[in-house]
C-alpha cells in the first residue's frame, strides 16, 4: 500500500515532530511535509507555544505549488475553530490532492472530522503510515487525551552491580555522554519530577544545560509531603526563571495538623515564587497536571519515587542507564532491574554512550 517515498516523507514528518517536544503547550507537536513530484515544497513543525500549526506553516512555504501535492501529516488535521481556523480546511483551500496521515486524533473535537472534511472535498486520504513510530512520537499527547494523565518516563542510572550509589555520598554512575542524554530527555518533557530526598541529598537544578538548549527547561516538580524544600535550594532560588511546583501528596493517615510549622513553610515557599499543590494520591496529581496541559512527565532520581510510580502502574516508559563500574557492598540497591520489566514491558532500544549502556523499555499493554 505504501511506497518507499511515502515511508521516507512520513519519516521526515515524524523527525520534524520531535523538534518541538516539550515546547508546544497543550497542543501536540505535529510534523507536516508537502510533496509534489518527489520534491519537498514545504515542511514544518507545530510552533513553540502551540501555534501556528504545522500544516498551515508548511502550506505557506509551498504556496501555489501545493495544488495537486501530497501532504504527509503525523496527526489528523484539526477540524475545529479555535484561535486559528481548522487545518483540514486549509488543506482543502490549498488544493492538495492527497493527505497521508500517521495517526487519527483522539480529541473528540477532531476524531474523524478532519478526515471527513478532506474526503468530502474529494481529497484522497490514507491513514496509518508508520503508526507505531507515530505513537511513540506523540505518546504524551495521546496519553493525556485518552487516559487524562501525562505519559510517564522513569529514568535511573545504575552501576554494573545494580546500585544507585551510596547513601550520603555523591557517586557518578555514568559518564558525560550518558549524562548529556538526560538533558535531551529533559528538553523533550513538559515537566520533570523528583522526590524531596533527592533534593536534600543533591540540591539539583533540574534544568537543561546543553549548549543551544538552555531555554528548554521543563517545569520542575518536587514530591514533598511536609513542604520541606529548602528556600536556599537551587530550585527555589531559580523558581522565577523556571517554574517549580511542590506537590504534597498526602496519604489518608497523614495529619498536617501534627506539624504546626507546616503552614509557615508553605507561606515561605509561596512568597519565594514556588507553587504548592496538595493532592490525595499520585493519580490525582497526574490528573491535575494533565488538566494543565502537561503531556509528558520525566521522573528522574529517587529510588522510592521510582519504585512508587512503577508499582502503582503509572510508568509508561523506563530508561535504565548502566555504568561500567561497581559500587560494591553497602551500596544503595536499585528498585528496578531488567528482570522487573519482563511482565509488562518490552525493551525497544539498547545503545552505548561511550562505556555506558542505555536500555529503554515501554509498557506492552
Amino acid at each position: 500500500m505504501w511506497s518507499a517515498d511515502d515511508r521516507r516523507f512520513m519519516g521526515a514528518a515524524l523527525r520534524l515532530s520531535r523538534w518541538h517536544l516539550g515546547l508546544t503547550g497543550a497542543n501536540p507537536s505535529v510534523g507536516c511535509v508537502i510533496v509534489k513530484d518527489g520534491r519537498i515544497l514545504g515542511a514544518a513543525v507545530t510552533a513553540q507555544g502551540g501555534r501556528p500549526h504545522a500544516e498551515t506553516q508548511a502550506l505557506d512555504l509551498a504556496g501555489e505549488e501545493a495544488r495537486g501535492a501530497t501532504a504527509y501529516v503525523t496527526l489528523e488535521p484539526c477540524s475545529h475553530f479555535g484561535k486559528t481556523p481548522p487545518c483540514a480546511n486549509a488543506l482543502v483551500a490549498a488544493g492538495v490532492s492527497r493527505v497521508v496521515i500517521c495517526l487519527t486524533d483522539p480529541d473528540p473535537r477532531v476524531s474523524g472530522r478532519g478526515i471527513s472534511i478532506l474526503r468530502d472535498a474529494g481529497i484522497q486520504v490514507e491513514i496509518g503510515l508508520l503508526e507505531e513510530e507515530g505513537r511513540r512520537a506523540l505518546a504524551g499527547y495521546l496519553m493525556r487525551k485518552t487516559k487524562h494523565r501525562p505519559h510517564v518516563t522513569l529514568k535511573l542510572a545504575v552501576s554494573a552491580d545494580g546500585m544507585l550509589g551510596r547513601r550520603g555520598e555523591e557517586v557518578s554512575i555514568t559518564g558525560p555522554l550518558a549524562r548529556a542524554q538526560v538533558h535531551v530527555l529533559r528538553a523533550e518533557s513538559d515537566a520533570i519530577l523528583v522526590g524531596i530526598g533527592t533534593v536534600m541529598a543533591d540540591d539539583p537544578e533540574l534544568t537543561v544545560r546543553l549548549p543551544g538548549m538552555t531555554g528548554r527547561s521543563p517545569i520542575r516538580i518536587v514530591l514533598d509531603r511536609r513542604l520541606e524544600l529548602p528556600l536556599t535550594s537551587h530550585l527555589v532560588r531559580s523558581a522565577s526563571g523556571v517554574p517549580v511546583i511542590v506537590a504534597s501528596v498526602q496519604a489518608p493517615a497523614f495529619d498536617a495538623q501534627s506539624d504546626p510549622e507546616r503552614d509557615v513553610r508553605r507561606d515561605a515557599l509561596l512568597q519565594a515564587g514556588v507553587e504548592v499543590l496538595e493532592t490525595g494520591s499520585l493519580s490525582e496529581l497526574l490528573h491535575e497536571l494533565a488538566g494543565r496541559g502537561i503531556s509528558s512527565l520525566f521522573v528522574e532520581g529517587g529510588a522510592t519515587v521510582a519504585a512508587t510510580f512503577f508499582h502503582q502502574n503509572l510508568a509508561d516508559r523506563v530508561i535504565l542507564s548502566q555504568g561500567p563500574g561497581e559500587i560494591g557492598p553497602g551500596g544503595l540497591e536499585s528498585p528496578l532491574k531488567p528482570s522487573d520489566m519482563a511482565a509488562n514491558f518490552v525493551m525497544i532500544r539498547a545503545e552505548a554512550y561511550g562505556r555506558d549502556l542505555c536500555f529503554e523499555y515501554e509498557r506492552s499493554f
Side-chain angles (χ1 to χ4, degrees), residues 44-57:
V45 59
T46 305
Q48 295 184 27
R51 290 180 177 81
H53 291 181
E55 296 93 324
T56 55
Q57 294 181 79

Side-chain angles (χ1 to χ4, degrees), residues 173-179 321-324 351-358:
I173 301 292
T174 56
L177 284 177
R179 290 196 295 270
S321 296
Q322 185 179 78
E351 293 183 344
Y353 297 108
R355 299 178 63 202
D356 302 317
L357 302 177
C358 179

Side-chain angles (χ1 to χ4, degrees), residues 78-91:
C78 64
S79 58
H80 59 285
F81 283 86
K83 294 183 179 179
T84 55
C87 291
N89 296 71
L91 290 164

Side-chain angles (χ1 to χ4, degrees), residues 37 46 62 68 74 106 140 145 160 169 180 187 218 248 265 277 284 286 310:
D37 299 328
T46 305
T74 60
K145 285 298 181 182
E169 181 180 340
S248 177
R265 295 195 298 271
L277 179 59
E284 285 184 21
L286 295 182
F310 187 81

Side-chain angles (χ1 to χ4, degrees), residues 236-298:
V236 173
R237 286 188 287 126
S238 61
S240 61
V242 182
V244 176
I245 298 174
V246 168
S248 177
V249 179
Q250 299 181 10
F254 179 72
D255 181 11
Q257 300 301 318
S258 64
D259 184 358
E261 298 297 320
R262 188 174 185 277
D263 286 343
V264 175
R265 295 195 298 271
R266 181 180 185 276
D267 291 342
L269 287 170
L270 292 173
Q271 290 177 13
V274 174
E275 180 181 356
V276 177
L277 179 59
E278 309 214 24
T279 66
S281 67
L282 274 182
S283 293
E284 285 184 21
L285 172 62
L286 295 182
H287 183 79
E288 170 68 25
L289 296 178
R292 300 177 178 210
I294 293 176
S295 299
S296 55
L297 179 65
F298 184 45

Side-chain angles (χ1 to χ4, degrees), residues 84-365:
T84 55
C87 291
N89 296 71
L91 290 164
V92 171
V96 301
S97 61
R98 178 175 177 241
V99 177
V100 181
I101 298 169
C102 179
L103 297 172
T104 56
D105 193 336
D107 188 329
R109 297 173 300 174
V110 180
S111 188
R113 292 181 176 85
I115 294 168
S116 294
I117 289 172
L118 298 171
R119 284 179 171 160
D120 289 347
I123 295 173
Q124 179 184 350
V125 179
E126 299 170 25
I127 306 162
L129 176 57
L130 301 185
E131 184 174 1
E132 184 176 350
E133 293 89 337
R135 291 195 178 280
R136 289 193 181 118
L138 286 162
Y141 174 76
L142 298 175
M143 182 65 70
R144 181 167 60 85
K145 285 298 181 182
T146 59
K147 295 191 176 180
H148 311 293
R149 68 167 177 83
H151 183 271
V152 175
T153 296
L154 296 185
K155 185 270 173 187
L156 287 174
V158 299
S159 62
D161 55 348
M163 301 294 175
L164 297 178
R166 294 181 181 276
R167 291 191 184 278
E169 181 180 340
E170 187 173 349
V171 179
S172 293
I173 301 292
T174 56
L177 284 177
R179 290 196 295 270
Q181 291 303 309
V182 172
H183 287 263
V184 173
L185 291 166
R186 289 177 181 177
E188 293 179 343
S189 303
D190 294 324
I192 181 171
L193 181 147
V194 297
I196 185 61
T198 295
V199 176
M200 293 299 198
D202 302 334
D203 191 20
E205 295 181 52
L206 302 180
T207 53
V208 178
R209 296 188 295 280
L210 293 178
M213 299 180 71
T214 54
R216 296 188 60 160
S217 295
I219 296 170
R220 299 167 296 172
I221 303 171
V222 181
L223 289 183
D224 181 11
R225 181 180 298 174
R226 299 188 181 278
L227 309 184
E228 296 173 320
L229 179 63
L231 299 180
T232 56
S233 66
H234 281 122
L235 289 171
V236 173
R237 286 188 287 126
S238 61
S240 61
V242 182
V244 176
I245 298 174
V246 168
S248 177
V249 179
Q250 299 181 10
F254 179 72
D255 181 11
Q257 300 301 318
S258 64
D259 184 358
E261 298 297 320
R262 188 174 185 277
D263 286 343
V264 175
R265 295 195 298 271
R266 181 180 185 276
D267 291 342
L269 287 170
L270 292 173
Q271 290 177 13
V274 174
E275 180 181 356
V276 177
L277 179 59
E278 309 214 24
T279 66
S281 67
L282 274 182
S283 293
E284 285 184 21
L285 172 62
L286 295 182
H287 183 79
E288 170 68 25
L289 296 178
R292 300 177 178 210
I294 293 176
S295 299
S296 55
L297 179 65
F298 184 45
V299 179
E300 181 186 341
T304 301
V305 170
T308 301
F309 272 89
F310 187 81
H311 293 301
Q312 289 189 18
N313 294 317
L314 296 174
D316 305 295
R317 180 171 67 152
V318 176
I319 296 176
L320 292 179
S321 296
Q322 185 179 78
E326 296 188 356
I327 299 297
L332 179 62
E333 189 172 354
S334 170
L336 302 182
K337 301 177 178 63
S339 58
D340 296 326
M341 307 294 138
N344 300 324
F345 287 78
V346 60
M347 187 170 71
I348 61 171
R349 182 173 64 96
E351 293 183 344
Y353 297 108
R355 299 178 63 202
D356 302 317
L357 302 177
C358 179
F359 304 97
E360 181 175 347
Y361 303 82
E362 69 178 9
R363 186 172 290 281
S364 57
F365 65 90

Side-chain angles (χ1 to χ4, degrees), residues 5 8-9 34-41 70 72:
D5 277 349
R8 180 162 62 94
F9 292 128
I34 309 293
V35 179
K36 183 191 285 185
D37 299 328
R39 184 167 63 94
I40 294 178
L41 306 175
T70 294
Y72 295 86

